[in-house]
Amino acid sequence: MAAERADHLEFVVPVVNIFETPDGYALEAEMPGVSKDGLEITLEGDEITIIGRRTASPVSGELLFRECPTADYRRVFELDPAIDTNKISAKMEQGMLTLNLPKPEQVKPRRITVSD
Amino acid sequence: MNLTRYQKPDLAWTDFARLSSLRAELDRLFESPWTELARTSQLFSGWTPALDVHEDKDNFVVRAELPGMKREDIEVSLHDGALSISGERRTEEKYEEAEVYRTERFFGKFQRTVTLPAPVAADQVKAQYKDGILTVTLPKTEEAKPKQIDVNVN
């Protein structure tokens, strides 16, 4: 138990926004200090794990004031089973990860035209 | 007497963001108290980006976490020995119609001011925005740098 707790402390939980559109889901996660190369996104069943390792070089000198956490980022999400996992795409821009999780064609809302 | 029709109050995005972030704030409080404690105040004051201040022989280095911003929306200014970082993060229009599952991110205006402990050369200050982190390097003035003084023995 103690080991588990210590393990947990090595990460900070990135804040996220999640939206659903008719086409799929969009997830935005804030990971300042992480570049594209520091990202590690893994998919296991219906679970997606996002890990962001800080790539920014540390500042030399004496620390006068600290608010920014130094730990890496990690967060796990359970996905809607309807999501087409083969079509997930990710974009990293200024420390913000945007995941696009598209729904397959058959679950998208469709308008059915009524014939005469 | 004027009668106005009752209108449902407009609940702004940011209010929702603050409510849902209460949980995030509590989670963080228990997970890493020493680094996050200072940030809990943002619950009541909107967005307060976290910042670090470093000092070496020649410079002060201020770093602020500003993920997902546009460079032109960040303003850096120096006034009376105090560095101000301000700006505004706007909500993205493409999600306005979307159903919202989680809003933990902050939007809106922010401002942070750091009073520097020693005078800096205002014309040599440099700011860089990379991977969502703003780094401002402020060189100390010659007078503020530490100097070695030789002791003469007669």
Side-chain angles (χ1 to χ4, degrees):
Chain A
M1 188 64 203
E4 210 173 291
R5 179 92 191 129
D7 223 8
H8 203 57
L9 280 171
E10 287 169 27
F11 294 103
V12 283
V13 180
V15 297
V16 298
N17 274 8
I18 302 174
F19 304 98
E20 184 185 358
T21 63
D23 296 330
Y25 299 86
L27 185 152
E28 300 173 330
E30 290 187 356
M31 297 191 274
V34 177
S35 71
K36 201 174 119 238
D37 303 325
L39 268 182
E40 202 182 299
I41 303 167
T42 45
L43 200 67
E44 221 183 310
D46 283 340
E47 261 187 11
I48 191 162
T49 305
I50 300 166
I51 291 177
R53 303 196 191 278
R54 285 171 198 272
T55 42
S57 52
V59 180
S60 62
E62 189 195 345
L63 184 69
L64 301 183
F65 187 64
R66 148 136 17 250
E67 285 172 356
C68 307
T70 50
D72 291 335
Y73 302 90
R74 183 177 184 270
R75 197 156 174 181
V76 183
F77 296 93
E78 196 181 321
L79 297 180
D80 178 347
I83 289 171
D84 192 345
T85 49
N86 292 318
K87 291 198 179 126
I88 296 176
S89 63
K91 193 178 77 178
M92 191 65 173
E93 228 171 15
Q94 290 292 5
M96 195 179 78
L97 168 74
T98 308
L99 276 184
N100 256 310
L101 310 140
K103 293 180 193 168
E105 287 303 322
Q106 59 265 34
V107 300
K108 282 186 195 173
R110 256 180 303 176
R111 186 182 289 273
I112 293 150
T113 42
V114 182
S115 56
D116 296 322
Chain B
M1 193 175 98
N2 283 327
L3 275 180
T4 12
R5 206 179 158 149
Y6 173 76
Q7 282 179 315
K8 262 212 296 198
D10 267 342
L11 274 182
W13 250 141
T14 47
D15 292 331
F16 276 118
R18 263 176 234 183
L19 274 180
S20 75
S21 75
L22 177 62
R23 216 192 115 164
E25 291 290 354
L26 287 172
D27 283 349
R28 287 180 184 201
L29 201 62
F30 289 110
E31 273 162 18
S32 47
W34 48 89
T35 52
E36 294 293 325
L37 210 59
R39 297 177 72 180
T40 51
S41 59
Q42 75 179 15
L43 202 57
F44 307 102
S45 61
W47 188 24
T48 314
L51 55 85
D52 285 353
V53 184
H54 281 83
E55 177 184 8
D56 66 14
K57 200 160 68 16
D58 304 316
N59 302 295
F60 291 106
V61 179
V62 178
R63 267 192 177 190
E65 291 189 337
L66 301 168
M69 295 224 13
K70 291 193 181 74
R71 205 184 49 163
E72 57 269 27
D73 291 339
I74 303 173
E75 235 170 84
V76 182
S77 65
L78 193 67
H79 184 73
D80 267 350
L83 171 77
S84 270
I85 300 168
S86 60
E88 185 173 1
R89 189 158 66 180
R90 298 186 180 92
T91 48
E92 276 193 72
E93 278 169 17
K94 62 176 174 179
Y95 296 129
E96 259 170 22
E97 300 280 302
E99 199 172 329
V100 179
Y101 275 56
R102 249 167 208 281
T103 53
E104 298 169 353
R105 301 183 58 217
F106 279 92
F107 290 95
K109 290 197 166 90
F110 66 87
Q111 172 161 22
R112 296 228 48 189
T113 305
V114 181
T115 306
L116 299 157
V120 291
D123 51 338
Q124 287 165 45
V125 175
K126 283 193 187 78
Q128 191 203 22
Y129 184 48
K130 190 176 173 259
D131 295 335
I133 291 189
L134 176 77
T135 307
V136 187
T137 310
L138 308 111
K140 293 179 192 173
T141 55
E142 283 307 315
E143 299 86 70
K145 287 184 190 170
K147 258 179 222 91
Q148 198 88 40
I149 291 150
D150 292 328
V151 179
N152 292 320
V153 182
N154 285 337

